[in-house]
Amino acid sequence: MDSYRYVKLPKSIIELENCAFACNWDGEDNRPLSTVDLSACNQLRSISDSCFISKSFWGSWDSRRSLENVYLPNSITEIGFRAFYHCYNIKEISLPTQLKQIGREAFAYTKLKCVLIPKDVINIDIEAFNNCNLLRTIIYLPVKAPENWIATSDTYVPDKESYSSPESSINNAQIIEMITF
């Protein structure tokens, strides 16, 4: 892995500014980060608005230049507005176990295929997964449905009664109650 395409931040990081890792490119043959590892940053509480947004210098979206991997610490409680917006090359992400809030359009236009929503999530802002055309499976762990929850092709929930009507749906939504053991 190219060292300039991968960065692992130290545990001393406690805050990321808006657009901290925005993949803005100037058209030259520079290659932005493909992997950001924040897993050691256990004092980090939020991923700021537009933190990893992928956009070219001219304002167009360029899938060749976007982030592929991001590793988040479990200390994250909030993922902000458009945090991973247009990060076309993100296909999977492990959401932090302490996560409570997913911001508007946080993962819009990514290639996520499956998402596991941690048990403490209480709100998923509108369009959090907008235009995630490959997203086919969402597994919800919260006992009570988060506000603005979304359904997709295979949506697994702990209690079908609590999850009776999603705020929105994509990809021919189907709600399936999980069996507990």
Side-chain angles (χ1 to χ4, degrees):
M1 185 177 307
D2 297 334
S3 61
Y4 63 91
R5 297 212 35 190
Y6 172 88
V7 64
K8 181 171 182 156
L9 294 172
K11 66 180 182 178
S12 59
I13 300 295
I14 59 171
E15 182 180 7
L16 295 175
E17 295 290 328
N18 290 357
C19 302
F21 289 95
C23 295
N24 287 321
W25 131 161
D26 60 7
E28 299 298 319
D29 193 26
N30 59 359
R31 296 178 55 93
L33 293 171
S34 66
T35 301
V36 175
D37 186 348
L38 302 169
S39 61
C41 306
N42 57 12
Q43 293 183 51
L44 188 62
R45 298 292 178 248
S46 70
I47 300 298
S48 61
D49 294 350
S50 303
C51 191
F52 294 96
I53 196 169
S54 180
K55 191 174 184 181
S56 78
F57 181 77
W58 296 281
S60 61
W61 306 105
D62 187 348
S63 63
R64 296 170 300 141
R65 305 285 180 181
S66 79
L67 188 67
E68 295 171 14
N69 304 293
V70 63
Y71 303 102
L72 302 174
N74 281 324
S75 59
I76 299 292
T77 59
E78 180 180 357
I79 295 176
F81 170 68
R82 290 186 172 177
F84 297 96
Y85 190 75
H86 276 272
C87 288
Y88 292 111
N89 294 325
I90 290 183
K91 295 176 184 149
E92 60 183 59
I93 191 164
S94 290
L95 295 178
T97 56
Q98 295 182 31
L99 187 65
K100 292 178 179 14
Q101 168 77 26
I102 300 174
R104 183 175 181 184
E105 297 182 323
F107 296 99
Y109 298 95
T110 62
K111 289 184 180 174
L112 289 173
K113 295 177 182 178
C114 178
V115 175
L116 175 69
I117 305 294
K119 68 177 179 63
D120 291 335
V121 171
I122 56 174
N123 189 21
I124 300 171
D125 278 351
I126 59 171
E127 301 178 339
F129 298 99
N130 188 36
N131 284 300
C132 289
N133 298 327
L134 300 177
L135 184 58
R136 296 291 187 262
T137 304
I138 301 177
I139 302 168
Y140 286 92
L141 297 183
V143 174
K144 183 181 176 205
E147 286 185 49
N148 304 313
W149 73 283
I150 185 172
T152 190
S153 303
D154 294 318
T155 305
Y156 296 92
V157 300
D159 177 21
K160 206 167 182 178
E161 189 174 309
S162 175
Y163 284 82
S164 62
S165 55
E167 180 67 28
S168 61
S169 62
I170 56 174
N171 303 324
N172 301 314
Q174 173 180 303
I175 315 250
I176 305 161
E177 187 166 14
M178 293 184 280
I179 299 171
T180 57
F181 296 95

